[in-house]
Amino acid sequence: MNVLKILLLVSLFSISNSIKAQKVNQIDTLNCPITQNDLLLSGKLFASAAPILLRVYNEDYEYAVFQLGKRRGSIYLYFKIFTDNVCVKQDQPLELYFKNGEMYILKNTFKVNCDGTAALELTRRDIKKLMSHNINTIKFFTLKKDYEFSPTEVDNQNIKFYLHCLKLYKVRKKR
């Protein structure tokens, strides 16, 4: 009789532990570098991953930032060139050339501006493509000049990791 009670207690304990293990948020186990504060982007809360700094190909002092973020349920790619008077048109393409030779085009959805900023809302197809391929070259076209960037292997790993983290991340409501 005592053995039966002990077996029952052990089974209940193991079942409760497995239920608790299922309630652990997946993003908590990944140690994701996602930050969110109370700042608003177009009136909405957003979260962002760490920026990836890219140097313009064949230039010493021209850089751009490649940053992934999330607003509502959508993941965005923010791309900004740190050079004065770089005008970007809406629907201006950002071409991605993968290591397998394939080219993929993302279109800027951000308004026309001359501060070198592009914002692209990524579709599921875009995210799947970025997760499954390594980027060899990024070409960004502006009104006066075309820019080319070559992400490293570490940059490619970070892009995939940040996308995975943002897919799991829930943008928290304002306190």
Side-chain angles (χ1 to χ4, degrees):
M1 187 68 168
N2 284 340
V3 174
L4 190 57
K5 286 181 184 179
I6 292 172
L7 286 174
L8 183 62
L9 274 172
V10 168
S11 65
L12 285 175
F13 181 71
S14 64
I15 290 171
S16 68
N17 277 346
S18 67
I19 292 171
K20 286 180 186 175
Q22 290 173 358
K23 290 183 181 179
V24 172
N25 193 353
Q26 236 182 340
I27 196 160
D28 294 338
T29 62
L30 289 176
N31 196 15
C32 289
I34 306 296
T35 57
Q36 181 179 344
N37 54 33
D38 290 332
L39 296 175
L40 300 177
L41 181 65
S42 299
K44 306 281 187 248
L45 289 167
F46 68 97
S48 59
I52 298 171
L53 193 63
L54 302 171
R55 187 175 62 82
V56 176
Y57 184 73
N58 286 338
E59 295 289 336
D60 288 334
Y61 302 109
E62 287 189 88
Y63 292 90
V65 69
F66 182 107
Q67 189 168 21
L68 296 163
K70 188 171 189 175
R71 191 174 82 181
R72 292 191 206 157
S74 300
I75 296 177
Y76 288 86
L77 165 61
Y78 301 99
F79 197 83
K80 177 163 176 54
I81 297 177
F82 294 113
T83 303
D84 293 335
N85 297 322
V86 175
C87 295
V88 179
K89 294 190 305 186
Q90 191 169 0
D91 295 329
Q92 196 73 35
L94 182 72
E95 291 181 356
L96 306 176
Y97 293 86
F98 298 114
K99 297 216 185 231
N100 66 359
E102 188 179 344
M103 181 186 71
Y104 194 74
I105 295 176
L106 298 170
K107 293 209 177 182
N108 177 30
T109 55
F110 199 60
K111 297 182 286 192
V112 174
N113 66 79
C114 286
D115 62 352
T117 304
L120 307 109
E121 183 175 358
L122 300 178
T123 64
R124 284 187 176 133
R125 181 176 179 247
D126 299 336
I127 293 167
K128 186 176 180 183
K129 190 65 99 170
L130 289 170
M131 296 277 287
S132 62
H133 292 79
N134 284 332
I135 301 170
N136 190 39
T137 305
I138 298 172
K139 289 187 179 179
F140 187 62
F141 301 98
T142 64
L143 292 179
K144 292 186 180 178
K145 183 178 176 182
D146 299 338
Y147 294 88
E148 189 173 319
F149 307 89
S150 297
T152 65
E153 192 61 37
V154 172
D155 294 336
N156 276 298
Q157 289 172 359
N158 285 338
I159 289 168
K160 291 174 185 175
F161 180 62
Y162 296 159
L163 282 170
H164 184 69
C165 288
L166 285 168
K167 282 172 63 176
L168 298 174
Y169 188 84
K170 303 282 189 238
V171 178
R172 64 174 163 72
K173 304 284 188 231
K174 203 171 191 178
R175 293 179 198 164

